[in-house]
Amino acid sequence: MAASFNVNSEAGLKKLDTYLLSRSYITGYQASKDDMAVFAEFSLPPPSKYTNVVRWYNHIDALLKLSGVTAAGQGVKVESSVVPEASTSADTKGKAPAADDDDDDDVDLFGEETEEEKKAAEERAAAVKASGKKKESGKSSVLLDVKPWDDETDMVKLEEAVRSVKMEGLLWGASKLMPVGYGIKKLQIMMTIIDDLVSVDTLIEDHLCVEPANEYIQSCDIVAFNKICKSLQLL
């Protein structure tokens, strides 16, 4: 049975927060249209007390921004919180789609490119060709564990050291502190990368585990590494 959430109520947010406690996405192990459906119901960012919802919300927001989906839009009504898996094609078999169909349920959030988007895509392609770079192969969502030296390490400074690393094709996302033991906490942080431009191993070995970052960082581990689904790769 598909999960459903009412993000416009305290009870619904509490339910979603509990649901996301052990999950990175609404369904599966990578972002999908289920995440887009739930995300679209938020008129404002979730309250900070719902830490798991905030982590998920910021991550999906970062994916959309990296993918170029930043326009506010004209508004769309979502009847259910999660996109149903069953197809409705059987109900409409033999019927030609109406040219001016205003049914909110049939709105395609990932429809054809506008003229502005096509122009932007052409400009990006020209820039890549001019710089001699290969076409981007795709994007990935990576979850890192960043461990300090001991319980006296300033975790604020540690996160600042991590986020200070700037690379083309790298976007830092949501983060949180996780207990390790003996009063020590580790930083768990999301990042989205363009595969052709960023090597996670190089990022860790040449940027996070060398001076000056290694004043705070003892080690880094990859917790999760997922390809971003094609429906989000609009670049």
Side-chain angles (χ1 to χ4, degrees):
M1 181 178 179
S4 62
F5 307 98
N6 179 6
V7 301
N8 296 313
S9 70
E10 289 292 324
L13 284 172
K14 185 176 180 180
K15 177 182 177 182
L16 180 58
D17 192 66
T18 301
Y19 180 83
L20 291 170
L21 178 63
S22 59
R23 297 174 174 86
S24 297
Y25 304 103
I26 299 300
T27 57
Y29 298 97
Q30 62 182 13
S32 68
K33 285 191 176 182
D34 289 349
D35 294 277
M36 298 302 98
V38 178
F39 182 87
E41 288 198 31
F42 284 89
S43 57
L44 294 171
S48 59
K49 66 180 180 180
Y50 299 110
T51 56
N52 298 308
V53 178
V54 171
R55 165 180 55 79
W56 168 84
Y57 181 93
N58 290 339
H59 177 51
I60 298 302
D61 185 51
L63 293 182
L64 289 172
K65 288 179 179 178
L66 186 64
S67 300
V69 184
T70 57
Q74 298 180 358
V76 58
K77 180 180 179 182
V78 179
E79 294 294 342
S80 61
S81 297
V82 179
V83 177
E85 296 179 359
S87 172
T88 58
S89 59
D91 297 333
T92 58
K93 187 175 181 180
K95 296 181 181 179
D100 298 323
D101 191 355
D102 293 330
D103 190 347
D104 289 335
D105 291 339
D106 293 333
V107 174
D108 185 1
L109 299 179
F110 299 89
E112 296 182 358
E113 290 182 322
T114 65
E115 289 300 322
E116 292 181 357
E117 291 171 337
K118 289 180 179 179
K119 183 178 179 181
E122 290 173 357
E123 291 176 351
R124 287 194 296 272
V128 170
K129 184 177 180 181
S131 63
K133 295 179 180 177
K134 295 180 180 179
K135 185 180 178 180
E136 296 175 5
S137 62
K139 302 182 184 69
S140 297
S141 173
V142 185
L143 180 62
L144 284 183
D145 267 356
V146 185
K147 299 175 182 177
W149 288 103
D150 51 40
D151 61 340
E152 296 183 356
T153 300
D154 188 331
M155 297 304 291
V156 174
K157 294 291 185 181
L158 182 146
E159 182 169 356
E160 289 177 355
V162 172
R163 293 186 182 275
S164 69
V165 177
K166 308 292 184 182
M167 300 174 65
E168 184 179 2
L170 168 64
L171 178 67
W172 294 109
S175 65
K176 63 179 180 178
L177 295 179
M178 301 287 291
V180 176
Y182 303 101
I184 300 175
K185 293 183 179 180
K186 65 183 178 181
L187 174 71
Q188 200 166 79
I189 186 167
M190 295 290 304
M191 65 178 181
T192 303
I193 63 171
I194 295 177
D195 298 331
D196 278 354
L197 301 180
V198 180
S199 164
V200 179
D201 290 338
T202 299
L203 171 66
I204 293 174
E205 295 172 4
D206 296 349
H207 296 277
L208 296 178
C209 291
V210 297
E211 293 182 351
N214 65 356
E215 179 181 350
Y216 307 101
I217 299 171
Q218 181 192 55
S219 63
C220 298
D221 296 309
I222 300 173
V223 178
F225 195 120
N226 298 307
K227 292 289 185 180
I228 296 175
C229 62
K230 291 183 179 180
S231 62
L232 291 175
Q233 294 183 19
L234 305 181
L235 286 177

